[in-house]
C-alpha cells in the first residue's frame, strides 16, 4: 500500500549547504538539528554540500570541517538517524569510517547516474561496519529508465539497502519519475527500498515526490523551506501537508516544520531559494543544481547572462564535479558571440 510508513530524510544541512556557500556555524547546526529531531523527521543528513571531504577550491571551501558539523549534529540528535553523503573520488573509505566513529549511522553513496560501478567498495565497506546504505544515482534524468535501472541493480548487488532516483538538475517531470521507478521495480528485489530526491527548478519537486510514493517509494528527501541547491529541494512542509491529506503514515509534525522553516532557515538566505529566471533555467537545461552559485559568480566576473552560461553547460552535458568548467564556458563566450537565450530545447 503506497504511502505507508514513509521515511522522511531532511537534507537542509547537506544539500542546503550549497545555498549558503557551505557556510553555516556548528552552533546553527545544533539549533536546526534539535528542531528537526523534535519535529519527527526520520533522518538528518549533515556534510559539505558535495559530501564528505567536499570542501575544496573546485567545489567551494566550507566555513567548518565536516567533522565539526557532524559532531554538532550528534550532540543534538536524540531520535532521528544521523546521515551523511559520500561521492567516491571525493570522500574516501577513511572519511566514511571517521563519520561512523562520530555517530553517523546511515550514508548515501552518490555517483553520476551511469557510473554506479565506482561505488562498489564504498557501499560494501559501509555495510561491513554496520551502516544503513543507499545508492544515490545523481542526474537521473540523463539516463533512460532501463539504463538507470541497470545502474540501480549494480548498487543493489554491492549491498545497498535502498536506491534513489536523484533528480539533481530538477529536470524530471512526473512521467519521467514514474517510468524510472517502474523500471527499478522490474529489476530490483522486493526487499530493496526506493528513494526520491527531487529538486524544485521546474516547480515539480512536491508533485514528483508524490508520484514516487504512489509508485512504492518509502524514502523521501526534503528540506526546510526547500533549502538546497538551485531552486532548492522538495520543501518538507508542503510535502508533509500533502501526505497528511492523503492519509500517508509518517512521524512528522507539520506545524513544527513550518516554524523551523520560517524561524531558522529563511533568515539565513542571502539569495532567496526559489524558482526564478536563473534556477528555472537550471531545470530547463538539465544542469546540476549546485552550478547556480558558480554560474552567478562567473556572470558577475565576465559580464555574461547566467542563463547563457547554464544553457551552454546543459548543451555540453556537464555533470557534478565539473563546476570549474563554468569558467571555460565564460571564456569561450567572451571570445565568440554570446548565445541568445532561447525558450526551445
Amino acid at each position: 500500500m503506497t504511502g505507508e510508513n514513509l521515511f522522511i530524510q531532511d537534507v537542509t544541512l547537506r544539500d542546503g549547504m550549497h545555498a549558503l556557500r557551505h557556510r553555516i556555524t556548528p552552533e546553527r547546526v545544533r539549533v536546526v538539528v534539535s528542531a528537526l529531531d523534535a519535529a519527527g523527521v526520520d533522518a538528518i543528513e549533515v556534510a559539505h554540500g558535495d559530501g564528505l571531504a567536499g570542501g575544496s577550491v573546485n567545489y567551494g571551501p566550507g566555513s567548518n570541517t565536516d567533522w565539526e558539523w557532524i559532531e554538532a549534529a550528534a550532540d543534538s540528535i536524540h531520535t532521528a538517524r544521523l546521515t551523511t553523503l559520500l561521492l567516491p573520488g571525493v570522500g574516501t573509505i577513511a572519511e566514511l569510517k571517521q563519520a561512523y566513529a562520530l555517530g553517523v549511522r546511515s550514508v548515501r553513496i552518490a555517483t553520476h547516474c551511469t557510473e554506479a560501478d565506482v561505488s562498489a567498495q564504498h557501499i560494501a565497506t559501509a555495510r561491513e561496519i554496520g551502516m544503513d546504505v543507499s545508492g544515490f544515482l545523481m542526474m537521473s534524468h540523463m539516463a533512460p529508465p532501463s539504463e538507470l535501472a541497470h545502474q540501480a541493480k549494480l548498487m543493489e548487488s554491492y549491498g545497498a539497502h535502498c536506491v534513489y532516483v536523484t533528480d539533481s538538475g530538477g529536470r524530471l517531470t512526473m512521467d519521467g519519475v514514474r517510468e524510472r521507478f517502474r523500471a527499478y521495480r522490474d529489476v530490483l528485489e522486493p526487499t530493496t527500498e526506493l528513494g526520491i530526491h527531487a529538486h524544485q527548478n521546474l516547480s515539480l519537486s512536491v508533485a514528483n515526490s508524490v508520484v514516487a510514493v504512489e509508485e512504492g517509494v518509502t524514502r523521501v528527501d526534503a528540506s526546510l523551506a526547500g533549502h538546497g541547491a538551485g531552486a532548492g529541494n522538495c520543501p518538507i512542509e508542503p510535502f508533509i501537508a500533502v501526505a497528511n491529506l492523503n492519509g500517508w503514515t509518517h512521524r512528522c509534525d507539520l506545524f513544527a516544520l513550518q516554524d523551523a522553516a520560517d524561524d531558522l532557515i529563511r533568515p539565513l538566505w542571502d539569495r532567496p531559494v526559489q524558482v526564478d529566471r536563473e534556477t528555472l533555467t537550471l531545470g530547463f537545461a538539465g544542469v546540476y543544481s549546485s552550478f547556480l552559485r558558480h554560474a552567478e559568480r562567473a556572470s558577475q566576473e565576465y559580464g555574461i547572462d547566467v542563463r547563457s552560461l547554464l544553457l551552454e553547460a546543459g548543451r555540453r552535458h556537464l555533470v557534478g564535479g565539473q563546476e570549474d568548467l563554468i569558467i571555460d564556458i565564460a571564456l569561450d563566450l567572451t571570445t565568440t558571440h554570446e548565445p541568445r537565450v532561447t525558450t526551445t530545447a
Side-chain angles (χ1 to χ4, degrees):
M1 181 177 179
T2 59
E4 192 170 297
N5 298 321
L6 294 182
F7 185 93
I8 307 299
Q9 176 144 324
D10 183 89
V11 296
T12 302
L13 295 170
R14 199 281 301 167
D15 208 323
M17 287 287 185
H18 290 294
L20 299 174
R21 298 189 179 90
H22 318 286
R23 280 162 169 72
I24 187 168
T25 65
E27 292 72 27
R28 177 59 56 173
V29 168
R30 289 188 181 93
V31 172
V32 174
V33 166
S34 294
L36 288 167
D37 198 53
V41 300
D42 295 289
I44 301 171
E45 188 171 72
V46 180
H48 183 279
D50 294 287
L52 296 179
S56 65
V57 172
N58 189 32
Y59 293 111
S63 61
N64 295 85
T65 66
D66 293 311
W67 316 130
E68 290 172 317
W69 288 322
I70 288 172
E71 286 175 337
D75 287 343
S76 307
I77 205 165
H78 298 289
T79 59
R81 185 182 298 169
L82 184 55
T83 309
T84 196
L85 179 132
L86 183 146
L87 283 70
V90 178
T92 67
I93 295 295
E95 276 124 8
L96 179 64
K97 292 181 176 178
Q98 177 67 10
Y100 183 84
L102 294 175
V104 173
R105 292 296 177 264
S106 180
V107 65
R108 275 100 75 80
I109 306 299
T111 75
H112 183 61
C113 60
T114 58
E115 298 175 358
D117 58 332
V118 304
S119 69
Q121 182 183 9
H122 301 78
I123 291 175
T125 300
R127 282 293 299 262
E128 288 169 6
I129 63 178
M131 300 183 84
D132 166 71
V133 192
S134 292
F136 208 62
L137 290 165
M138 300 184 295
M139 297 292 280
S140 288
H141 77 276
M142 294 183 73
S146 59
E147 173 59 21
L148 195 69
H150 170 69
Q151 299 293 319
K153 187 66 177 178
L154 289 177
M155 287 182 156
E156 179 190 68
S157 73
Y158 305 147
H161 298 97
C162 174
V163 186
Y164 271 75
V165 169
T166 306
D167 188 18
S168 317
R171 176 61 177 80
L172 287 174
T173 62
M174 287 83 79
D175 284 344
V177 169
R178 184 179 293 109
E179 291 164 358
R180 281 160 178 78
F181 282 116
R182 290 183 179 179
Y184 274 21
R185 272 290 165 241
D186 286 341
V187 300
L188 298 179
E189 296 297 325
T191 53
T192 299
E193 295 180 65
L194 305 180
I196 179 71
H197 178 96
H199 274 265
Q200 181 68 347
N201 300 333
L202 293 178
S203 295
L204 295 176
S205 62
V206 173
N208 283 344
S209 298
V210 168
V211 166
V213 173
E214 291 174 346
E215 292 298 325
V217 164
T218 54
R219 299 201 190 195
V220 178
D221 282 11
S223 64
L224 294 169
H227 187 59
N233 296 101
C234 176
I236 196 168
E237 315 90 71
F239 176 79
I240 292 301
V242 173
N244 288 348
L245 291 172
N246 285 340
W248 294 344
T249 307
H250 60 82
R251 298 176 52 250
C252 294
D253 181 325
L254 174 58
F255 285 4
L257 293 170
Q258 290 175 334
D259 291 342
D262 284 3
D263 299 341
L264 301 179
I265 298 303
R266 286 190 171 94
L268 299 177
W269 290 348
D270 64 335
R271 182 201 195 283
V273 178
Q274 63 186 17
V275 178
D276 54 30
R277 58 190 171 189
E278 292 84 13
T279 60
L280 175 58
T281 303
L282 285 167
F284 179 72
V287 174
Y288 199 69
S289 292
S290 67
F291 278 38
L292 175 65
R293 298 312 279 267
H294 297 270
E296 289 181 330
R297 188 165 58 248
S299 172
Q300 292 175 356
E301 183 172 352
Y302 295 98
I304 296 173
D305 192 308
V306 174
R307 292 169 292 180
S308 295
L309 295 170
L310 294 175
L311 285 175
E312 183 61 23
R315 278 191 282 266
R316 296 186 186 189
H317 303 292
L318 300 189
V319 300
Q322 295 181 309
E323 286 86 346
D324 57 326
L325 293 182
I326 289 287
I327 300 300
D328 288 350
I329 290 173
L331 291 171
D332 287 346
L333 295 183
T334 58
T335 58
T336 59
H337 293 291
E338 181 183 344
R340 180 172 58 89
V341 176
T342 66
T343 57
T344 57

